Structures are given as C-alpha cells and as structure tokens.
C-alpha cells in the first residue's frame, strides 16, 4: 500500500462500505476502501433479496445499471413439518416504490457497487486485511494492515458482522450466541425451462420463498429460496444459541431441507455452483454497539443493523442506507 494520507479510510467493500465510499468520493474527498477479499463480494454472501429504496437514493438509475437477477413478484411463506406444508402465496406483478425488491448474487453486486464508487474517485485496495486501528490521544487516526500504516481523518468500519475492529475501538462487545445466527447457502444452477416449470419464472419475474418450522427443526431460524436468472439461492439460517434445541447440526439442517419432499423436486438435476457460510447479527436494537467514537463510525452489519425474523433476514438495504448516512455525517463534520 502507498504512504498516501486519505481523508477517510473505509474498512470493508460490502454494501455499507461501498455506499459510504461512493458518497464521500462524489463529494471530492480522498477515500480508500480496504477489502480483505481478492475482489469486493468474493467473501460475502446473502440470502438474496435486496430492497431497492436505499440504493435508489444513492444511484437513482440503478435498475438499468446494477447486476440485478430477478424482480421479486411472487412471495411464498411455508410453514413446514416433516411430512406436510402449508403455503401462503402473494403475487404482486409490478411492485413499485419502497416495496420493490430484486434477487442478487453478491459476487456480482458488490463488485458493481465498488466499481461505481471507484468511478466516482474512491481508491480500492483488495486482498488486504485491516488488523488494527491507529489510536492517538483517544482518537482513531488510521489503520494498520500487516506492516502498513495508513493515516486519515476518519475511519468507517464497514467490516461486517462480529467486527473485531469495533471491539478494539471499544465500541462493540463480543456477540453472544443468542445475538448471532449462522447461514448456509447453496447456489444451484437450473435451466430456463426448469426455472419456468418449477417456479413460474417468466421474463425477469422472481420468487422469494421462506420456510419456517421443519428446516431448523423448530429452533429459531428458517429456510429460503430465491430465484435468480439462471439458478436459485437456497439456504438455512439458524440462531447459534438455539441450534442445540434442534438436535442436529446446521449442515444436516441444509441437507434435510434439500431432501424434503417439497424441495427435492425443485432442485432435482440442478448443478451446485456455490456453497457458502456466513454469520448474521440478530441481536436487534438492544445489541447494537456504540455507532461512533472519536474519528471512527460504524455502518451496516458491524453495527448490527439487520432485521432478522428468523426465516427472513434483511440487512443489505440497511447497510447501504447506513453507509450513506455515515458518509453524510463525515461530510457534515468536515463542513463545520
Ligand atoms: C444467510 C444469510 C442470508 C441473508 N439474507 C438477506 C436477504 O435476503 N436480504 C438482505 O437484505 N440481507 C440479507 N442478509 C444480510 C446481509 O447479507 C447483510 O446485512 C449485509 O451483507 C451487510 O452488509 P455490510 O456491508 O455491512 O457487511 P458485509 O456484506 O459483510 O461486508 C463486509 C466487508 O468487510 C470485509 N472485511 C471484514 N473484515 C475486514 C478486515 N479486517 N479488513 C478488510 N476487510 C474486511 C469483508 O470481506 C466484506 O467484504 C443475509 C445474510 C446471511 C448470512
């Protein structure tokens, strides 16, 4: 890394980090984003449904430019036992405004949002993990990555769930087992015909399908399927502190979910394209850390900004909004 001094350094090139970088770079600040993945999005995963309201405030024409998979026009919620399922279905052919949402694949989506911030003037350094913060006289003044030290006026910690840096800054406490869930997900390739026959995926219409009950064997959590352009995202989210109640591991939950008589025919003949695991903060408002200190702000999952109803997780839209607001706060402070 160079020895340049930046106005702001952002740790993490996920939705929160790139939203913040975009706003600061557009305002003319010297911004560096340090991302540990080899590319933005390479270490990230999500269930797959992005509500567009906060992205629209950032990039009004994102619908034409972002790598969105399918517009969600069909909702299904299934209450599942081992042998039977009750499903509620809701069709909304043309969702508009804040209720509009799309399925996304993070490898593509995060890389795109980073490219927008880069085009606005932000500098991205990928493949580097930030290990520590430079703190002098109680104020955060930069970051330490291996042997490199980079100084700046403000650091935005957008490094995701279980942020070690937020803990080092004295803003967050270690997560407790009931404050965090673990998610496992597979991306399974299907043909256009299979997507149409099995999910009614015609044109760019997509389905968000959530499952409660049997997928986590009654413990807190649930299953999900989102249809993408050429595949489906299928997974399980289970609260760490409640997994014992189910009597099985999360890996077994996912395997059994896929073997369920309702699910198995939907993915039969599909090709496994991706397998990933990730934590989800789910402590809610009470578990949120301090959002700022002298010279440092938190945004997104690092600040616990996720709504998790067990079978439904929503954090990408909140991360984008949080990154936007963290950056706006920095700009406000700079003007004073
Ligand atoms: C199974 C699962 C299903 C989900 N489903 C949905 C859904 O359907 N809809 C929804 O809106 N949300 C969903 N979420 C939540 C959503 O994915 C997160 O809320 C969102 O990704 C948070 O964005 P972020 O930018 O704050 O953090 P992240 O996306 O985690 O980005 C953090 C970035 O920081 C980098 N990083 C971390 N530490 C360092 C370091 N020390 N140095 C450098 N870089 C670092 C990481 O590599 C990463 O790129 C789901 C999450 C999971 C796990």
């Amino acid at each position: 890394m160079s020895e340049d001094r930046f106005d702001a350094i952002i740790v993490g090139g996920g939705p929160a980090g790139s939203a913040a970088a975009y706003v600061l770079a557009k305002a003319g600040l010297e911004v560096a984003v340090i991302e540990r993945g080899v590319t933005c999005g390479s270490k990230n995963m999500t269930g797959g449904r992005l509500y567009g309201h906060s992205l629209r405030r950032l990039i009004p024409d994102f619908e034409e430019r972002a790598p969105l998979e399918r517009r969600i026009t069909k909702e299904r919620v299934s209450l599942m036992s081992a042998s039977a399922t009750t499903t509620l279905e809701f069709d909304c052919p043309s969702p508009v405004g804040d209720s509009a949402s799309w399925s996304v694949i993070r490898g593509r989506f995060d890389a795109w949002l980073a490219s927008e911030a880069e085009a606005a003037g932000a500098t991205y350094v990928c493949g580097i993990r930030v290990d520590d913060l430079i703190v002098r006289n109680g104020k955060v003044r930069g970051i330490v990555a291996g042997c490199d030290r980079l100084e700046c006026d403000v650091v935005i910690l957008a490094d995701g769930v279980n942020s070690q840096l937020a803990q080092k800054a004295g803003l967050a406490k270690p997560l407790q087992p009931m404050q965090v869930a673990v998610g496992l997900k597979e991306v399974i390739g299907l043909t256009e015909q299979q997507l149409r026959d099995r999910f009614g995926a015609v044109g760019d219409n997509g389905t968000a399908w959530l499952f409660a009950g049997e997928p986590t064997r009654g413990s807190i959590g649930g299953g999900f399927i989102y249809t993408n352009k050429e595949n489906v995202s299928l997974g399980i989210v289970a609260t760490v502190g409640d997994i014992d109640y189910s009597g099985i591991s999360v890996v077994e939950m996912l395997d059994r979910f896929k073997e369920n008589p309702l699910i198995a025919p939907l993915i039969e003949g599909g090709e496994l394209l991706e397998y990933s695991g990730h934590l989800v903060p789910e402590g809610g408002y009470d578990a949120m850390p301090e959002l700022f200190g002298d010279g440092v702000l938190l945004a997104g999952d690092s600040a616990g900004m996720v709504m998790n109803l067990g079978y439904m997780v929503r954090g990408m839209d909140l991360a984008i909004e949080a990154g936007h607001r963290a950056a706006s706060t920095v700009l406000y402070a700079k003007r004073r």
Side-chain angles (χ1 to χ4, degrees):
M1 276 191 286
S2 79
E3 297 302 313
D4 293 340
R5 192 177 194 290
F6 290 92
D7 293 314
I9 293 176
I10 297 166
V11 184
S18 286
Y22 181 80
V23 172
L24 292 176
K26 262 189 104 176
L29 267 61
E30 291 290 330
V31 191
V33 180
I34 318 287
E35 165 57 46
R36 68 182 171 179
V38 285
T39 56
C40 289
S42 60
K43 290 185 90 68
N44 299 346
M45 74 99 110
T46 194
R49 180 180 194 170
L50 171 73
Y51 284 86
H53 59 100
S54 50
L55 186 54
R56 182 169 290 115
R57 275 190 284 282
L58 202 65
I59 302 175
D61 61 345
F62 77 93
E63 281 185 55
E64 283 85 60
R65 313 227 312 268
L68 305 169
E69 293 290 321
R70 289 179 180 275
R71 180 186 282 266
I72 302 299
T73 55
K74 190 188 292 290
E75 310 259 0
R76 285 184 184 149
V77 177
S78 290
L79 308 177
M80 196 178 234
S81 75
S83 56
T85 302
T86 300
T87 299
L88 304 174
E89 185 169 308
F90 169 71
D91 278 294
C92 183
S94 43
V96 288
D98 286 357
S99 65
S101 64
W102 290 262
S103 53
V104 292
I105 299 275
R106 290 292 296 277
R108 279 178 227 139
F109 180 79
D110 288 15
W112 168 78
L113 192 53
S115 73
E116 292 287 316
E118 235 173 346
T123 300
Y124 275 74
V125 184
C126 290
I128 303 280
R129 191 189 68 206
V130 174
D131 300 311
D132 212 340
L133 299 170
I134 301 171
V135 183
R136 276 198 299 274
N137 301 324
K139 176 176 164 45
V140 173
R141 294 181 182 267
I143 58 99
V144 181
C147 302
D148 289 317
R149 296 168 68 84
L150 272 183
E151 301 243 349
C152 61
D153 294 335
V154 64
V155 174
I156 297 179
L157 295 177
D159 51 339
V161 58
N162 199 26
S163 167
Q164 303 300 301
L165 296 170
Q167 290 177 34
K168 284 183 177 173
L171 299 174
K173 297 194 184 101
L175 289 169
Q176 298 304 305
M178 288 304 281
Q179 294 176 333
V180 64
V182 61
L184 276 191
K185 171 177 139 178
E186 292 187 0
V187 176
I188 300 170
L190 295 173
T191 64
E192 194 181 336
Q193 178 85 35
Q194 287 168 334
L195 283 164
R196 191 166 50 237
D197 294 349
R198 299 176 187 185
F199 297 95
V202 179
D204 81 334
N205 292 303
T207 298
W209 196 348
L210 306 165
F211 302 83
E214 178 61 18
T216 49
R217 287 204 138 185
S219 64
I220 303 170
F224 60 83
I225 297 179
Y226 297 101
T227 54
N228 302 314
K229 274 189 182 135
E230 297 172 343
N231 47 58
V232 292
S233 296
L234 175 153
I236 290 282
V237 177
T239 300
V240 171
D242 206 40
I243 289 173
D244 273 357
Y245 175 84
S246 71
I248 57 173
S249 71
V250 185
V251 174
E252 284 172 290
M253 285 180 192
L254 183 61
D255 287 344
R256 287 177 188 218
F257 183 47
K258 285 173 16 192
E259 287 161 8
N260 183 284
L262 176 69
I263 305 301
L266 297 174
I267 53 173
E268 193 184 350
E271 183 191 359
L272 179 62
L273 302 174
E274 274 182 31
Y275 186 87
S276 55
H278 208 282
L279 294 178
V280 191
E282 60 172 15
Y285 184 76
D286 291 339
M288 282 174 79
E290 296 290 327
L291 296 183
F292 64 91
D294 199 358
V296 60
L297 297 102
L298 307 188
D301 273 16
S302 67
M305 293 170 176
V306 172
M307 283 196 293
N308 188 355
L309 303 184
Y311 58 84
M312 189 273 271
V313 181
R314 189 165 163 181
M316 287 185 285
D317 55 333
L318 305 182
I320 290 170
E321 186 68 29
H324 192 157
R325 290 188 185 211
S328 302
T329 305
V330 169
L331 295 177
Y332 178 76
K334 285 247 171 220
R335 279 198 301 270
R336 288 175 52 134

